[in-house]
Amino acid sequence: MRTFIKCKACGFIMDASHLKDVCPACGLPKTVFEPYTKKISPKRRFMIEQHIHPICVHFPQVFIIVIMIMLSLALWVGSPLREEFLVAAKLSILALPFSVILGFVTGLIDGKLRFKKLTTPLLVNKTKAGIILLVLSIVIFCLYLISGFTTTTMILIIILSILSAACGIFLGKTGSSMFNSLLPG
């Protein structure tokens, strides 16, 4: 069975067998560590330690950035480079809503595993932001399907992508503040 320790200074939790001379998070000497017991069931711990949700949320973030950059570049360059940028934007637009759904569903599962309910204040805020992000991704998707890549549509999609990125930043900051939070049990 693994033995865990916690840095008294910064709260970093790690497997005791991996500790060297200093805390890998804050750099203080190993003397600041104390024994730590994770108070969750092995099954919940295993599921949480797979980090499925943190992995899944990176896909929509990447797609949003690719959409913004590729469409912005496509507005400024001519053929044949313009067409290449539009292909990258198109693929990202088509994948975006599906990746947001994946991130949303894994977020609900992760929240339920960590807090045993989805009605905590931060999870409610994350759910609202996730719904806004999902709606934005669907609007971007439909806008492209209906209008293609006209200049006006490209500008609208860039604006919607900026709003999507803002949602992503909020979700990331809120999620990272909750990363080590777990209800016992």
Side-chain angles (χ1 to χ4, degrees):
M1 185 164 156
R2 293 170 32 180
T3 305
F4 292 96
I5 52 177
K6 179 180 179 179
C7 177
K8 290 185 271 187
C10 72
F12 184 73
I13 299 166
M14 66 181 289
D15 188 316
S17 66
H18 294 119
L19 180 62
K20 305 283 188 245
D21 293 330
V22 297
C23 172
C26 69
L28 289 177
K30 66 180 179 181
T31 57
V32 300
F33 277 87
E34 63 186 0
Y36 177 78
T37 303
K38 290 190 174 189
K39 299 173 179 123
I40 64 170
S41 72
K43 182 179 177 183
R44 277 181 61 215
R45 181 181 316 133
F46 175 79
M47 294 293 292
I48 290 168
E49 288 177 350
Q50 301 314 302
H51 303 293
I52 294 168
H53 176 62
I55 291 167
C56 289
V57 298
H58 287 89
F59 292 107
Q61 293 170 349
V62 169
F63 292 141
I64 290 165
I65 299 302
V66 169
I67 292 166
M68 285 190 298
I69 292 171
M70 295 297 115
L71 290 182
S72 297
L73 291 172
L75 289 171
W76 297 103
V77 300
S79 294
L81 200 51
R82 182 177 198 275
E83 284 73 26
E84 300 300 325
F85 291 148
L86 292 178
V87 168
K90 175 183 176 179
L91 293 173
S92 295
I93 288 169
L94 296 176
L96 180 60
F98 302 103
S99 66
V100 171
I101 290 168
L102 181 64
F104 190 82
V105 169
T106 59
L108 293 174
I109 294 167
D110 190 71
K112 186 78 169 160
L113 283 170
R114 288 179 186 278
F115 303 106
K116 299 184 181 181
K117 59 183 180 175
L118 298 174
T119 56
T120 67
L122 286 177
L123 287 179
V124 168
N125 289 338
K126 281 191 73 173
T127 301
K128 290 175 184 175
I131 290 169
I132 292 169
L133 179 57
L134 180 58
V135 168
L136 288 169
S137 72
I138 292 169
V139 170
I140 291 168
F141 182 85
C142 291
L143 194 56
Y144 167 74
L145 289 179
I146 293 167
S147 302
F149 282 136
T150 66
T151 302
T152 304
T153 304
M154 290 168 60
I155 292 169
L156 282 171
I157 291 173
I158 291 169
I159 292 167
L160 293 171
S161 296
I162 292 168
L163 294 173
S164 298
C167 284
I169 290 167
F170 172 80
L171 288 164
K173 285 186 175 203
T174 305
S176 67
S177 73
M178 302 166 70
F179 196 72
N180 284 319
S181 300
L182 296 167
L183 279 179

